Amino acid sequence: MDQTARPLRIPPEMGTYAEKHGIFDLMQVCDTFHKAAKMLCEQMGATSISPDNLLAQDSNLVKEALEFRNKKQGWLLEGFPKTREQALLLQEKGISPEHVVFLEAPDAVLIERNLGKRVDPETGAVYHTTFDWPSNEEVQGRLVEPPGISEEETANKLLEYRRNNQALENTYHYIHKVFNADQPCVDVCSQVLTFVLSRHRSVAPFTPRILLFGPPGSGKSLQAELISQKYNIVNICCGQLLKAVVADETSLGELIKPYLENGEQVPDTIVLKVLAQRLSKLDCTTQGWVLHDFPRDLDQAEKLNDAGFIPNRVFFLDLPNELCIERLTLRAIDPVTGDRYHYLYKAAPSQQVQSRLQRNPRDSEEDLLRRLAIHHDNVHDLQELYRDAVHVNADQDPHSVFEVLESRLVNRPPKTVKRQHLTHF
């Protein structure tokens, strides 16, 4: 039996298609939704599907949608489901919309629109005696009044809609939006198009696994701390983690201690073992982690991936060498209070404090230039490995940098949209 001939049944294949192409919208109430649906489909190259053409014996629209043609970017389901039960049946068939649109207007406006509705029996085009009357006299002559549009019938339909509407909105709670349909159709379409091209925040569980890269002085430690504080993510600095293991006086710490005391690099096998133990703990598994100071080269990054710790967010904090040198070589710490100061950005409050400030030997220009050279020798390979990484300009206020990072942590990447689709609005 032809799948398109079964009453009010949407083939399961359409669920796959909807998920693959990311466009599946539901519209309710008033004649505007038909025209809005048509305009949206024209803008996005989608196929419009309604219960009427689903029931048709030879529904070319449905066949076209099911052919999964590359030139199409999806399809739009119009006027269905009408009840919570129908919505749940769609979900059982694997059809979960990404966006649900409700068009609302006062009942008096909807009744007036419905009373003036006229249909061309040859083309199926919908017109209105007041708002959208055809200029072609031949078309005017064949227009007919569709059944079921009397004031009493329309009022009954609206009453039935109001009974089911709240339950439908609750069913699609996280993905629906209500639009005012009592305005020009082109304005409605513009607002709806903006909405359906947006991406929702996922309500599914998400465990961040974040890598922060950047030259010395780019602010990796500060940004990791800000992310950790706001989102309760485990902050892991590889260097600090190794020192903590040494402080615990474990057998592994005893292996690491000589390297740290002599200022030598700890072997990758030992570092990875320490990291694997830490990243496998319950807090990292359930809350997520933000890692910085490792990996530093391609080999370390590949070994981290091979160990099963694959990041789902990677950021490169970009900062010119001269600014890195300025930030680090001019900073100092008060050994009494632990407060940090900078000769340009945050001067000591008194001469007494100034006289006791101490600088980290690692902040000497000579040592810093060596570390910068190592960073630049390896950063290109890391960028090639993490091609989806986000580059952030670190030469700005730390909280501005954090806002950029945060926007990429909580939001999915935007949809790819052909700009010409938007020019007609």
Side-chain angles (χ1 to χ4, degrees), residues 64-115:
E64 186 175 294
L66 291 174
E67 285 176 355
F68 299 173
R69 294 183 179 176
N70 292 331
K71 68 178 181 179
K72 295 293 179 184
Q73 295 192 20
W75 49 269
L76 182 151
L77 179 60
E78 173 189 334
F80 187 88
K82 295 182 178 181
T83 66
R84 174 178 170 82
E85 289 71 23
Q86 291 174 343
L88 294 177
L89 284 173
L90 284 180
Q91 292 180 7
E92 289 178 7
K93 297 297 182 182
I95 301 175
S96 298
E98 185 171 310
H99 295 84
V100 177
V101 175
F102 290 88
L103 300 184
E104 289 285 359
D107 286 359
V109 173
L110 299 175
I111 291 173
E112 178 188 2
R113 289 182 179 180
N114 224 29
L115 289 175

Side-chain angles (χ1 to χ4, degrees), residues 29-60:
V29 185
C30 90
D31 184 49
T32 297
F33 78 68
H34 179 74
K35 293 179 179 177
K38 182 178 179 181
M39 294 177 70
L40 285 172
C41 288
E42 290 174 353
Q43 289 293 319
M44 300 188 296
T47 300
S48 177
I49 300 175
S50 68
D52 291 337
N53 56 44
L54 278 173
L55 289 169
Q57 292 290 332
D58 298 311
S59 177
N60 292 327

